[in-house]
Amino acid sequence: MASMTTGNTSRADANRRRILDVALAELLRDPDASMDQIARAAGVVRRTVYGHFPSREALVSTLIDGAVEAVAAADEAGRKDVEDPAQALAASTLSVWEVADRYRILVALAQRSVTMQGIRERLAPVRESSEELLRRGLEEGVFASVLPVPALAYVHEQLVFAVMEAVNDGLLAPEEAGRSAAITVLTAAGVPASRATELVAKLSD
C-alpha cells in the first residue's frame, strides 16, 4: 500500500513539474495561453492541470516563485568569490540577466495577477544581498550615491525590471540587454560610465 502511495505521489510530482515546464514554454510563446492550451501541450486533461493549480493566476504565481529561486541562485553565483564590489555587482547583474531574460514575459504577466508588490516581496532575499554589497562598495569608495543603501538597492531592482520591459516593448535588442542592464546598474551606483563599460565588456568576453 505504501509503495502504491509513493508511486502515485511521484507520478503526481512528475505531472506537476511537466505542467510547469510546459506552461512556461507556452506562456513565453503566447502570453495569453489558456489553461486548456497548457493542458493540451502537456498531454494531460484540463482537470489534471486544475488539480495542481486551481487557477491561471495560481499557475503564474508558482512559475514566478521558480523564477525568483533561479534569480537568487544566479545572483549568488555571479558575485561568489569576487572581492571588488563593482566587479561583483556587474557579474551578478549579468548572471541574473541570463535567468531574467527567460522570464521577462512572465514578469509582465505576473504584474496582472501577482502584482509588483508580490514580486518585490519574493525578491527580498536578493535585495538584502544587494544591500550588503552596495554598503561595502560605498564604504570602500567604489560606489557613490546620494541615496541610502536600501533605496539604491530598490532603484537597481527597478532598473532591471525597466530593461525587461524595454526588451518586451521592442525598444532594446535582447542580445544587448544584459550588458546594458549591468552598465546602467553600475553607473547608477556612481561608477564612471567608461569604467562600467570596460568592466562589463571584460566580463562579457
Side-chain angles (χ1 to χ4, degrees):
M1 184 70 175
S3 63
M4 186 180 297
T5 303
T6 302
N8 288 341
T9 302
S10 60
R11 186 160 57 250
D13 287 345
N15 269 344
R16 188 175 188 277
R17 282 194 301 272
R18 173 163 174 71
I19 290 166
L20 285 170
D21 288 344
V22 170
L24 179 59
E26 286 297 301
L27 289 168
L28 293 179
R29 185 182 61 80
D30 175 11
D32 295 317
S34 66
M35 294 289 265
D36 281 344
Q37 285 175 255
I38 291 167
R40 282 197 300 273
V44 298
V45 296
R46 186 172 66 167
R47 186 176 60 191
T48 300
V49 177
Y50 278 106
H52 291 285
F53 307 101
S55 66
R56 190 173 183 275
E57 288 72 23
L59 175 58
V60 170
S61 183
T62 303
L63 286 171
I64 284 290
D65 286 340
V68 168
E69 286 178 14
V71 165
D75 173 64
E76 184 178 354
R79 68 181 67 193
K80 187 177 180 183
D81 299 327
V82 181
E83 288 301 319
D84 175 55
Q87 185 174 339
L89 182 58
S92 167
T93 305
L94 289 168
S95 181
V96 164
W97 184 262
E98 288 181 19
V99 175
D101 186 48
R102 183 176 181 227
Y103 293 108
R104 57 189 163 79
I105 298 294
L106 193 60
V107 170
L109 279 175
Q111 290 176 26
R112 305 179 200 170
S113 54
V114 180
T115 75
M116 282 307 295
Q117 181 60 32
I119 296 172
R120 282 200 298 270
E121 288 170 1
R122 286 164 164 83
L123 285 169
V126 177
R127 199 178 309 114
E128 287 168 11
S129 295
S130 296
E131 288 179 16
E132 184 181 333
L133 176 60
L134 289 169
R135 188 171 289 108
R136 182 161 64 85
L138 287 165
E139 288 171 356
E140 293 176 10
V142 176
F143 302 143
S145 177
V146 296
L147 295 173
V149 168
L152 184 58
Y154 179 85
V155 166
H156 282 180
E157 184 180 290
Q158 294 305 304
L159 280 172
V160 174
F161 282 127
V163 173
M164 283 186 191
E165 291 294 341
V167 176
N168 288 345
D169 290 345
L171 303 174
L172 182 65
E175 59 272 16
E176 297 173 9
R179 292 188 298 275
S180 298
I183 292 168
T184 303
V185 164
L186 283 170
T187 54
V191 177
S194 57
R195 164 71 174 145
T197 303
E198 177 189 343
L199 189 53
V200 171
K202 188 182 298 181
L203 289 169
S204 301
D205 286 344

Short mmCIF file of all heavy atoms in Angstrom, two decimals, residues 16-17 20-21 23-24 27-28 53 57-75 95-96 98-104 106-107 110 114 118-119 121-123 126 164:
data_model
loop_
_atom_site.label_atom_id
_atom_site.label_comp_id
_atom_site.label_asym_id
_atom_site.label_seq_id
_atom_site.Cartn_x
_atom_site.Cartn_y
_atom_site.Cartn_z
N ARG A 16 3.20 17.51 -12.16
CA ARG A 16 3.25 18.92 -11.77
C ARG A 16 4.45 19.63 -12.40
O ARG A 16 4.34 20.73 -12.93
CB ARG A 16 3.30 19.02 -10.24
CG ARG A 16 3.16 20.43 -9.69
CD ARG A 16 3.11 20.37 -8.16
NE ARG A 16 2.81 21.67 -7.58
CZ ARG A 16 3.69 22.63 -7.37
NH1 ARG A 16 4.97 22.42 -7.67
NH2 ARG A 16 3.33 23.79 -6.85
N ARG A 17 5.61 18.95 -12.33
CA ARG A 17 6.82 19.54 -12.92
C ARG A 17 6.66 19.71 -14.43
O ARG A 17 7.06 20.72 -15.00
CB ARG A 17 8.04 18.66 -12.62
CG ARG A 17 8.58 18.82 -11.20
CD ARG A 17 9.97 18.20 -11.06
NE ARG A 17 9.95 16.78 -11.38
CZ ARG A 17 9.70 15.82 -10.48
NH1 ARG A 17 9.41 16.14 -9.23
NH2 ARG A 17 9.73 14.55 -10.84
N LEU A 20 4.42 22.65 -15.21
CA LEU A 20 5.12 23.92 -15.01
C LEU A 20 6.10 24.21 -16.15
O LEU A 20 6.16 25.33 -16.66
CB LEU A 20 5.88 23.90 -13.67
CG LEU A 20 5.02 24.05 -12.42
CD1 LEU A 20 5.85 23.78 -11.16
CD2 LEU A 20 4.38 25.44 -12.35
N ASP A 21 6.85 23.19 -16.56
CA ASP A 21 7.81 23.37 -17.67
C ASP A 21 7.09 23.75 -18.95
O ASP A 21 7.49 24.67 -19.67
CB ASP A 21 8.62 22.08 -17.89
CG ASP A 21 9.63 21.84 -16.79
OD1 ASP A 21 9.93 22.79 -16.04
OD2 ASP A 21 10.11 20.69 -16.67
N ALA A 23 4.01 24.97 -19.21
CA ALA A 23 3.31 26.25 -19.04
C ALA A 23 4.26 27.41 -19.29
O ALA A 23 3.89 28.39 -19.96
CB ALA A 23 2.72 26.34 -17.63
N LEU A 24 5.48 27.31 -18.77
CA LEU A 24 6.46 28.39 -19.00
C LEU A 24 6.73 28.54 -20.49
O LEU A 24 6.71 29.66 -21.03
CB LEU A 24 7.76 28.09 -18.25
CG LEU A 24 8.88 29.12 -18.43
CD1 LEU A 24 8.43 30.50 -17.98
CD2 LEU A 24 10.13 28.69 -17.68
N LEU A 27 3.60 30.03 -22.23
CA LEU A 27 3.36 31.44 -21.91
C LEU A 27 4.41 32.34 -22.54
O LEU A 27 4.12 33.48 -22.91
CB LEU A 27 3.32 31.63 -20.40
CG LEU A 27 2.07 31.06 -19.71
CD1 LEU A 27 2.26 31.05 -18.20
CD2 LEU A 27 0.82 31.85 -20.08
N LEU A 28 5.64 31.85 -22.68
CA LEU A 28 6.67 32.64 -23.36
C LEU A 28 6.35 32.75 -24.85
O LEU A 28 6.62 33.76 -25.49
CB LEU A 28 8.05 32.00 -23.16
CG LEU A 28 8.60 32.03 -21.72
CD1 LEU A 28 9.96 31.35 -21.66
CD2 LEU A 28 8.71 33.45 -21.20
N PHE A 53 -3.21 23.30 -9.97
CA PHE A 53 -3.27 24.77 -9.91
C PHE A 53 -4.73 25.20 -10.09
O PHE A 53 -5.27 25.06 -11.21
CB PHE A 53 -2.39 25.37 -11.00
CG PHE A 53 -0.98 24.85 -10.96
CD1 PHE A 53 -0.57 23.86 -11.86
CD2 PHE A 53 -0.07 25.30 -10.01
CE1 PHE A 53 0.72 23.35 -11.83
CE2 PHE A 53 1.22 24.80 -9.97
CZ PHE A 53 1.62 23.82 -10.87
N GLU A 57 -3.95 32.22 -12.41
CA GLU A 57 -3.16 33.10 -11.54
C GLU A 57 -2.28 32.28 -10.60
O GLU A 57 -1.13 32.65 -10.34
CB GLU A 57 -4.09 34.01 -10.73
CG GLU A 57 -4.78 35.10 -11.53
CD GLU A 57 -5.88 34.57 -12.45
OE1 GLU A 57 -6.40 33.46 -12.16
OE2 GLU A 57 -6.18 35.24 -13.45
N ALA A 58 -2.81 31.18 -10.07
CA ALA A 58 -2.03 30.32 -9.18
C ALA A 58 -0.87 29.68 -9.93
O ALA A 58 0.24 29.54 -9.39
CB ALA A 58 -2.92 29.23 -8.58
N LEU A 59 -1.10 29.31 -11.18
CA LEU A 59 -0.05 28.73 -12.01
C LEU A 59 1.05 29.75 -12.27
O LEU A 59 2.26 29.46 -12.10
CB LEU A 59 -0.64 28.23 -13.34
CG LEU A 59 0.32 27.69 -14.39
CD1 LEU A 59 1.12 26.51 -13.84
CD2 LEU A 59 -0.43 27.28 -15.65
N VAL A 60 0.68 30.96 -12.66
CA VAL A 60 1.66 32.02 -12.92
C VAL A 60 2.43 32.36 -11.64
O VAL A 60 3.65 32.54 -11.66
CB VAL A 60 0.97 33.29 -13.47
CG1 VAL A 60 1.94 34.46 -13.51
CG2 VAL A 60 0.42 33.02 -14.87
N SER A 61 1.72 32.39 -10.50
CA SER A 61 2.37 32.68 -9.23
C SER A 61 3.42 31.63 -8.89
O SER A 61 4.52 31.96 -8.41
CB SER A 61 1.31 32.74 -8.11
OG SER A 61 1.91 33.09 -6.88
N THR A 62 3.12 30.36 -9.15
CA THR A 62 4.08 29.29 -8.90
C THR A 62 5.29 29.41 -9.82
O THR A 62 6.43 29.19 -9.41
CB THR A 62 3.41 27.90 -9.09
OG1 THR A 62 2.28 27.81 -8.22
CG2 THR A 62 4.37 26.77 -8.76
N LEU A 63 5.05 29.78 -11.08
CA LEU A 63 6.16 29.98 -12.02
C LEU A 63 7.04 31.14 -11.55
O LEU A 63 8.27 31.07 -11.67
CB LEU A 63 5.61 30.26 -13.42
CG LEU A 63 5.03 29.06 -14.16
CD1 LEU A 63 4.31 29.52 -15.43
CD2 LEU A 63 6.10 28.04 -14.51
N ILE A 64 6.43 32.19 -11.03
CA ILE A 64 7.19 33.34 -10.51
C ILE A 64 8.05 32.90 -9.33
O ILE A 64 9.22 33.33 -9.21
CB ILE A 64 6.24 34.48 -10.10
CG1 ILE A 64 5.73 35.21 -11.36
CG2 ILE A 64 6.95 35.48 -9.20
CD1 ILE A 64 6.77 36.01 -12.10
N ASP A 65 7.51 32.06 -8.47
CA ASP A 65 8.30 31.54 -7.34
C ASP A 65 9.56 30.83 -7.86
O ASP A 65 10.66 31.01 -7.33
CB ASP A 65 7.48 30.57 -6.50
CG ASP A 65 6.44 31.28 -5.63
OD1 ASP A 65 6.60 32.50 -5.40
OD2 ASP A 65 5.48 30.62 -5.20
N GLY A 66 9.39 30.02 -8.91
CA GLY A 66 10.52 29.32 -9.51
C GLY A 66 11.51 30.29 -10.12
O GLY A 66 12.73 30.10 -10.01
N ALA A 67 10.99 31.34 -10.74
CA ALA A 67 11.86 32.35 -11.35
C ALA A 67 12.67 33.08 -10.29
O ALA A 67 13.87 33.33 -10.47
CB ALA A 67 11.00 33.35 -12.13
N VAL A 68 12.04 33.40 -9.17
CA VAL A 68 12.74 34.10 -8.09
C VAL A 68 13.85 33.22 -7.51
O VAL A 68 14.96 33.69 -7.23
CB VAL A 68 11.75 34.54 -6.99
CG1 VAL A 68 12.49 35.00 -5.74
CG2 VAL A 68 10.85 35.65 -7.50
N GLU A 69 13.57 31.93 -7.36
CA GLU A 69 14.61 31.00 -6.87
C GLU A 69 15.80 30.98 -7.83
O GLU A 69 16.96 30.99 -7.40
CB GLU A 69 14.03 29.59 -6.74
CG GLU A 69 13.10 29.41 -5.55
CD GLU A 69 12.50 28.01 -5.50
OE1 GLU A 69 13.02 27.12 -6.21
OE2 GLU A 69 11.53 27.81 -4.74
N ALA A 70 15.50 30.96 -9.13
CA ALA A 70 16.57 30.94 -10.13
C ALA A 70 17.36 32.25 -10.12
O ALA A 70 18.59 32.24 -10.25
CB ALA A 70 15.97 30.70 -11.52
N VAL A 71 16.67 33.37 -9.95
CA VAL A 71 17.33 34.67 -9.87
C VAL A 71 18.24 34.74 -8.65
O VAL A 71 19.38 35.22 -8.72
CB VAL A 71 16.29 35.82 -9.84
CG1 VAL A 71 16.93 37.13 -9.39
CG2 VAL A 71 15.66 35.99 -11.22
N ALA A 72 17.75 34.25 -7.51
CA ALA A 72 18.55 34.27 -6.28
C ALA A 72 19.81 33.43 -6.45
O ALA A 72 20.91 33.84 -6.03
CB ALA A 72 17.72 33.75 -5.11
N ALA A 73 19.67 32.26 -7.08
CA ALA A 73 20.84 31.39 -7.30
C ALA A 73 21.83 32.05 -8.25
O ALA A 73 23.05 31.99 -8.05
CB ALA A 73 20.38 30.05 -7.85
N ALA A 74 21.32 32.72 -9.29
CA ALA A 74 22.19 33.39 -10.26
C ALA A 74 22.91 34.57 -9.62
O ALA A 74 24.09 34.81 -9.87
CB ALA A 74 21.37 33.86 -11.47
N ASP A 75 22.19 35.31 -8.78
CA ASP A 75 22.78 36.45 -8.07
C ASP A 75 23.94 35.98 -7.19
O ASP A 75 25.03 36.56 -7.21
CB ASP A 75 21.70 37.11 -7.21
CG ASP A 75 22.25 38.20 -6.31
OD1 ASP A 75 22.76 39.20 -6.84
OD2 ASP A 75 22.19 38.05 -5.08
N SER A 95 24.78 37.76 -14.58
CA SER A 95 24.31 36.41 -14.25
C SER A 95 22.80 36.38 -14.07
O SER A 95 22.11 35.48 -14.57
CB SER A 95 25.01 35.92 -12.97
OG SER A 95 24.62 34.62 -12.63
N VAL A 96 22.28 37.37 -13.37
CA VAL A 96 20.83 37.46 -13.16
C VAL A 96 20.11 37.66 -14.48
O VAL A 96 19.04 37.06 -14.72
CB VAL A 96 20.49 38.61 -12.17
CG1 VAL A 96 19.01 38.97 -12.25
CG2 VAL A 96 20.86 38.21 -10.76
N GLU A 98 20.83 36.57 -17.42
CA GLU A 98 20.72 35.32 -18.17
C GLU A 98 19.47 34.55 -17.76
O GLU A 98 18.82 33.91 -18.59
CB GLU A 98 21.96 34.45 -17.95
CG GLU A 98 23.20 34.98 -18.64
CD GLU A 98 24.41 34.09 -18.41
OE1 GLU A 98 24.21 32.92 -18.04
OE2 GLU A 98 25.54 34.57 -18.59
N VAL A 99 19.13 34.61 -16.48
CA VAL A 99 17.92 33.97 -15.98
C VAL A 99 16.70 34.85 -16.27
O VAL A 99 15.69 34.39 -16.78
CB VAL A 99 18.02 33.71 -14.46
CG1 VAL A 99 16.71 33.15 -13.91
CG2 VAL A 99 19.17 32.74 -14.18
N ALA A 100 16.84 36.14 -15.94
CA ALA A 100 15.71 37.07 -16.07
C ALA A 100 15.21 37.16 -17.51
O ALA A 100 14.01 37.29 -17.74
CB ALA A 100 16.12 38.45 -15.56
N ASP A 101 16.12 37.09 -18.47
CA ASP A 101 15.72 37.20 -19.87
C ASP A 101 14.72 36.11 -20.24
O ASP A 101 13.80 36.33 -21.01
CB ASP A 101 16.96 37.11 -20.77
CG ASP A 101 16.62 37.38 -22.23
OD1 ASP A 101 15.91 38.38 -22.50
OD2 ASP A 101 17.02 36.59 -23.10
N ARG A 102 14.91 34.92 -19.65
CA ARG A 102 13.99 33.81 -19.93
C ARG A 102 12.61 34.06 -19.35
O ARG A 102 11.61 33.55 -19.85
CB ARG A 102 14.59 32.52 -19.33
CG ARG A 102 13.77 31.28 -19.63
CD ARG A 102 14.44 30.03 -19.12
NE ARG A 102 13.63 28.86 -19.43
CZ ARG A 102 13.34 27.90 -18.57
NH1 ARG A 102 13.79 27.96 -17.34
NH2 ARG A 102 12.60 26.87 -18.93
N TYR A 103 12.57 34.84 -18.27
CA TYR A 103 11.31 35.04 -17.56
C TYR A 103 10.68 36.40 -17.80
O TYR A 103 9.68 36.73 -17.17
CB TYR A 103 11.53 34.88 -16.05
CG TYR A 103 11.89 33.47 -15.63
CD1 TYR A 103 13.18 33.14 -15.22
CD2 TYR A 103 10.92 32.47 -15.62
CE1 TYR A 103 13.50 31.85 -14.82
CE2 TYR A 103 11.23 31.17 -15.22
CZ TYR A 103 12.53 30.87 -14.82
OH TYR A 103 12.84 29.60 -14.43
N ARG A 104 11.25 37.22 -18.71
CA ARG A 104 10.79 38.62 -18.78
C ARG A 104 9.33 38.73 -19.19
O ARG A 104 8.61 39.61 -18.70
CB ARG A 104 11.71 39.46 -19.66
CG ARG A 104 11.90 39.00 -21.05
CD ARG A 104 13.00 39.79 -21.76
NE ARG A 104 13.47 39.12 -22.94
CZ ARG A 104 12.83 39.14 -24.10
NH1 ARG A 104 11.70 39.81 -24.22
NH2 ARG A 104 13.32 38.51 -25.15
N LEU A 106 7.11 36.53 -18.47
CA LEU A 106 6.40 36.06 -17.29
C LEU A 106 6.22 37.17 -16.27
O LEU A 106 5.17 37.28 -15.63
CB LEU A 106 7.20 34.90 -16.66
CG LEU A 106 6.50 34.06 -15.59
CD1 LEU A 106 5.25 33.41 -16.16
CD2 LEU A 106 7.46 33.01 -15.07
N VAL A 107 7.23 38.03 -16.11
CA VAL A 107 7.13 39.15 -15.18
C VAL A 107 6.02 40.10 -15.61
O VAL A 107 5.22 40.58 -14.79
CB VAL A 107 8.48 39.90 -15.06
CG1 VAL A 107 8.30 41.21 -14.28
CG2 VAL A 107 9.51 39.02 -14.38
N ALA A 110 2.87 38.44 -14.68
CA ALA A 110 2.67 38.40 -13.23
C ALA A 110 2.15 39.73 -12.70
O ALA A 110 1.43 39.76 -11.70
CB ALA A 110 3.97 38.04 -12.54
N VAL A 114 0.01 38.60 -9.84
CA VAL A 114 0.77 38.58 -8.58
C VAL A 114 0.93 39.98 -8.03
O VAL A 114 1.01 40.18 -6.83
CB VAL A 114 2.16 37.93 -8.80
CG1 VAL A 114 2.95 37.89 -7.51
CG2 VAL A 114 2.01 36.53 -9.37
N GLY A 118 3.87 41.84 -4.82
CA GLY A 118 4.12 40.42 -4.56
C GLY A 118 5.48 39.98 -5.07
O GLY A 118 6.18 39.19 -4.42
N ILE A 119 5.87 40.48 -6.23
CA ILE A 119 7.18 40.14 -6.80
C ILE A 119 8.28 40.72 -5.92
O ILE A 119 9.28 40.06 -5.63
CB ILE A 119 7.30 40.67 -8.24
CG1 ILE A 119 6.28 39.96 -9.15
CG2 ILE A 119 8.72 40.45 -8.78
CD1 ILE A 119 6.19 40.54 -10.54
N GLU A 121 8.19 41.37 -2.74
CA GLU A 121 8.28 40.58 -1.50
C GLU A 121 9.06 39.30 -1.73
O GLU A 121 9.88 38.91 -0.89
CB GLU A 121 6.88 40.27 -0.98
CG GLU A 121 6.16 41.48 -0.40
CD GLU A 121 4.70 41.21 -0.11
OE1 GLU A 121 4.23 40.08 -0.34
OE2 GLU A 121 4.01 42.15 0.35
N ARG A 122 8.84 38.65 -2.86
CA ARG A 122 9.55 37.42 -3.17
C ARG A 122 11.06 37.67 -3.35
O ARG A 122 11.88 36.82 -3.08
CB ARG A 122 8.99 36.79 -4.45
CG ARG A 122 7.63 36.13 -4.30
CD ARG A 122 7.03 35.90 -5.69
NE ARG A 122 5.94 34.97 -5.70
CZ ARG A 122 4.69 35.28 -5.40
NH1 ARG A 122 4.40 36.52 -5.02
NH2 ARG A 122 3.73 34.37 -5.47
N LEU A 123 11.39 38.87 -3.85
CA LEU A 123 12.80 39.19 -4.13
C LEU A 123 13.54 39.76 -2.93
O LEU A 123 14.71 40.13 -3.05
CB LEU A 123 12.87 40.20 -5.29
CG LEU A 123 12.60 39.63 -6.68
CD1 LEU A 123 12.45 40.76 -7.70
CD2 LEU A 123 13.70 38.67 -7.12
N VAL A 126 17.15 38.58 -2.27
CA VAL A 126 18.10 39.07 -3.28
C VAL A 126 18.44 40.53 -3.00
O VAL A 126 19.59 40.95 -3.09
CB VAL A 126 17.53 38.91 -4.70
CG1 VAL A 126 18.49 39.48 -5.74
CG2 VAL A 126 17.22 37.44 -5.00
N MET A 164 13.85 44.90 -18.76
CA MET A 164 12.98 43.81 -19.24
C MET A 164 11.83 44.37 -20.06
O MET A 164 11.51 43.86 -21.14
CB MET A 164 12.39 43.05 -18.04
CG MET A 164 13.30 42.09 -17.35
SD MET A 164 12.31 41.21 -16.10
CE MET A 164 13.62 40.39 -15.20
#
